[in-house]
């Protein structure tokens, strides 16, 4: 299996069986991500060094407006797609196997979790995984300690309140908050 085949499987909507070739490749990518993020998360790095390490992690060229305050954690790295002028604050965890797309001008607060994988509810198949992408529009602000779950799309200009757990799509130009997140107001 290669990276393109893996990413194709991740976008197929199929259940990933524990122990399968795809699962083994996912584990390989996770260890590569741990190696890169361990360097990123140790000591001080200038902004250009941080961007370089994130480019290595994501296999993507990032614009000079990209900003990140470590530590940062990713389970894969190769399925994160970052727009221009994105800022990610410290302590974030991205479980990106299913794909995470972050639109231009988005701000992501401290300790945000983006999770594209969910385990099978059947105890006999609990290690099997269901994978769906997260899509974050342009100029979104996700507050500290928010969690966004698989399959969620957040519309342009939306705000996710600190501590929210987002389990369904967020319309553009709305503020959502709570557990589970609900629309609090329109912007």
């Amino acid at each position: 299996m290669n990276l393109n085949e893996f990413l194709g499987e991740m976008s197929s909507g199929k259940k990933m069986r524990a122990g399968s070739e795809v699962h083994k490749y996912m584990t390989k990518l996770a260890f590569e991500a741990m190696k890169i993020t361990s360097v990123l998360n140790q000591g001080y790095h200038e902004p250009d060094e941080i961007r370089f390490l994130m480019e290595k992690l994501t296999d993507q060229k990032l614009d000079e407006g990209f900003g990140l305050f470590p530590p940062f954690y990713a389970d894969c790295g190769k399925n994160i797609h970052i727009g221009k002028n994105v800022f990610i604050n410290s302590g974030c965890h991205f479980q990106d196997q299913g794909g995470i797309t972050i639109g231009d001008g988005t701000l992501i607060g401290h300790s945000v979790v983006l999770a594209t994988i969910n385990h099978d509810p059947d105890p006999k198949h609990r290690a099997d995984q269901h994978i769906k992408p997260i899509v974050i529009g342009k100029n979104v602000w996700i507050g500290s300690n928010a969690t966004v779950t698989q399959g969620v799309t957040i519309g342009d200009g939306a705000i996710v309140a600190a501590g929210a757990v987002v389990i369904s799509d967020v319309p553009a130009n709305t503020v959502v908050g709570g557990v589970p997140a609900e629309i609090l107001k329109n912007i």
Side-chain angles (χ1 to χ4, degrees):
M1 172 158 285
N2 63 40
L3 181 59
N4 286 334
E5 291 170 333
F6 172 77
L7 294 175
E9 285 291 321
M10 294 297 98
S11 65
S12 72
K14 296 181 210 170
K15 177 166 50 170
M16 183 177 54
R17 302 242 180 244
S20 67
E21 181 182 355
V22 176
H23 188 256
K24 290 175 184 172
Y25 193 82
M26 182 177 77
T27 302
K28 174 185 175 286
L29 289 175
F31 279 94
E32 289 175 12
M34 282 189 272
K35 185 184 245 183
I36 296 167
T37 57
S38 71
V39 173
L40 175 67
N41 296 335
Q42 288 181 347
Y44 174 78
H45 300 285
E46 293 291 331
D48 288 344
E49 294 172 292
I50 291 170
R51 189 171 59 252
F52 170 78
L53 290 165
M54 285 297 289
E55 288 176 346
K56 189 173 177 183
L57 176 69
T58 63
D59 202 24
Q60 170 191 352
K61 180 76 174 152
L62 299 172
D63 80 301
E64 290 189 18
F66 171 78
L68 172 96
F69 289 169
F72 175 81
Y73 305 93
D75 287 0
C76 175
K78 302 301 185 224
N79 214 358
I80 301 172
H81 311 281
I82 301 171
K84 295 179 179 177
N85 298 310
V86 168
F87 176 73
I88 301 169
N89 220 321
S90 63
C92 291
H93 295 254
F94 288 11
Q95 184 188 53
D96 66 290
Q97 290 88 338
I100 295 172
T101 301
I102 303 170
D104 297 347
T106 290
L107 305 173
I108 299 178
H110 290 92
S111 302
V112 167
V113 174
L114 304 178
T116 65
I117 294 177
N118 202 358
H119 289 275
D120 200 280
D122 180 349
K124 294 177 186 168
H125 299 282
R126 188 64 42 86
D128 292 349
Q129 299 173 359
H130 301 271
I131 299 158
K132 294 180 186 171
I134 293 171
V135 178
I136 301 167
K138 294 179 180 179
N139 301 308
V140 170
W141 174 20
I142 301 177
S144 297
N145 294 301
T147 298
V148 179
T149 61
Q150 63 167 185
V152 167
T153 296
I154 300 174
D156 293 347
I159 297 173
V160 175
V165 177
V166 183
I167 62 171
S168 59
D169 290 351
V170 175
N173 300 311
T174 60
V175 177
V176 299
V179 179
E182 299 177 342
I183 296 175
L184 302 176
K185 66 180 180 178
N186 293 314
I187 301 173

